[in-house]
Amino acid sequence: MNIILLGPPGAGKGTQAQRLVEQRGMRQLSTGDMLRAAVKAGTPTGLKAKAVMERGELVSDEIVSALIGDELDAMGAGEGAIFDGYPRTAAQATALDTILTQRGRSLDHVIELDVDEDQLVERITGRFTCANCGKGYHDRFEQPRQPGICDKCGSTEFKRRPDDNEQTVRTRMAEYRAKTAPILPIYEARGIVTRVNGMADIDDVTRAIETVLGG
Ligand code: AP5
Ligand code: MG
């Protein structure tokens, strides 16, 4: 199964993708995570992307589509993909169709996380992740069971994203409205979009997604 999680910054794409990885053994393909890894490693892609990401703008379609193609090539044929943060423009949606067709894959579901933008700033500015395994947390909504210790790997080091400040978040949201929300009709026309209430508790959102994907 191949699915897209679609929603603005802070909608919960990464949070829900991590759960699907654990529960269903699918692979999370987050272009944001790939780009952050490239920035950290100082690759040519990372050098191009760094300032763009810090401003909250979109990196070029060619760069992100190439990253997605490479990740899919590294996956087993039977492994399902969760596209998290991709596609984000009409050009990326077109590229994804080609990328999937070339690999004998197709899209099964697009899950739209329906959220109230005003409350997303709090979600994003309170977010942090384990510096070792990447598990996501939140100051208010999802704290480690033992304070200061990652539930998943036991690390005591955590980090916050440089683009998780209010000003950059506002730019990221404007980019979403202008360039990403308009791609929804492409998938609606194919009858594969389901809207899920992304303002519910994290566990309830997971259950709603499970219902869409089925046993
Ligand atoms: P990316 O990393 O994709 O960031 P984003 O889309 O802005 O989304 P976020 O990761 O901020 O939000 P999320 O939906 O994953 O929320 P999360 O689950 O963490 O992209 C970053 C940048 O990279 C872009 O700005 C761009 O520059 C570039 N880029 C990436 N992909 C690109 C592409 N395809 N094309 C061009 N450029 C690209 O949740 C947020 C917080 O809320 C967490 O702390 C979580 O614990 C909490 N939370 C989650 N769900 C709930 C809930 N239901 N209730 C309460 N709290 C919740
Ligand atoms: Mg994310």
Side-chain angles (χ1 to χ4, degrees):
M1 191 183 313
N2 301 291
I3 68 167
I4 295 174
L5 295 181
L6 200 71
K13 304 179 295 290
T15 302
Q16 297 302 329
Q18 286 188 349
R19 288 172 170 221
L20 292 172
V21 167
E22 276 164 29
Q23 291 164 7
R24 295 185 162 250
M26 296 174 77
R27 186 86 77 99
Q28 175 186 10
L29 301 186
S30 159
T31 38
D33 287 350
M34 293 170 204
L35 290 167
R36 280 183 287 280
V39 169
K40 193 172 170 198
T43 65
T45 293
L47 293 175
K48 278 189 212 151
K50 187 171 186 286
V52 180
M53 293 173 77
E54 280 170 4
R55 288 197 301 272
E57 295 166 6
L58 294 185
V59 173
S60 82
D61 294 329
E62 292 72 24
I63 287 181
V64 291
S65 294
L67 288 171
I68 286 286
D70 289 348
E71 286 284 315
L72 278 171
D73 287 338
M75 284 170 55
E79 240 180 330
I82 308 160
F83 297 101
D84 161 5
Y86 179 91
R88 262 173 145 98
T89 63
Q92 291 178 27
T94 304
L96 179 59
D97 284 340
T98 307
I99 288 168
L100 289 173
T101 306
Q102 283 169 345
R103 290 159 180 83
R105 291 177 180 262
S106 59
L107 271 178
D108 299 282
H109 296 280
V110 175
I111 311 252
E112 183 198 2
L113 294 169
D114 187 25
V115 284
D116 173 0
E117 266 197 22
D118 291 341
Q119 293 183 44
L120 297 185
V121 174
E122 183 189 9
R123 275 201 195 173
I124 291 177
T125 51
R127 166 171 60 188
F128 60 99
T129 54
C130 172
N132 178 47
C133 74
K135 162 129 185 51
Y137 294 98
H138 192 278
D139 292 328
R140 262 187 70 195
F141 306 125
E142 197 183 12
Q143 295 167 354
R145 282 191 291 273
Q146 277 183 273
I149 302 173
C150 177
D151 296 347
K152 195 170 161 194
C153 76
S155 166
T156 54
E157 301 230 357
F158 297 88
K159 61 181 182 185
R160 290 180 193 260
R161 276 169 47 177
D163 61 343
D164 278 353
N165 59 77
E166 183 160 354
Q167 194 189 345
T168 305
V169 169
R170 299 272 177 213
T171 306
R172 283 157 57 195
M173 285 180 178
E175 289 280 79
Y176 180 82
R177 275 195 302 270
K179 296 173 185 160
T180 308
I183 71 175
L184 255 176
I186 298 173
Y187 299 114
E188 277 164 349
R190 297 181 198 173
I192 55 171
V193 177
T194 308
R195 187 181 271 208
V196 164
N197 175 17
M199 297 314 292
D201 283 350
I202 295 177
D203 288 344
D204 291 336
V205 179
T206 306
R207 274 190 284 273
I209 293 174
E210 282 294 338
T211 304
V212 176
L213 303 187

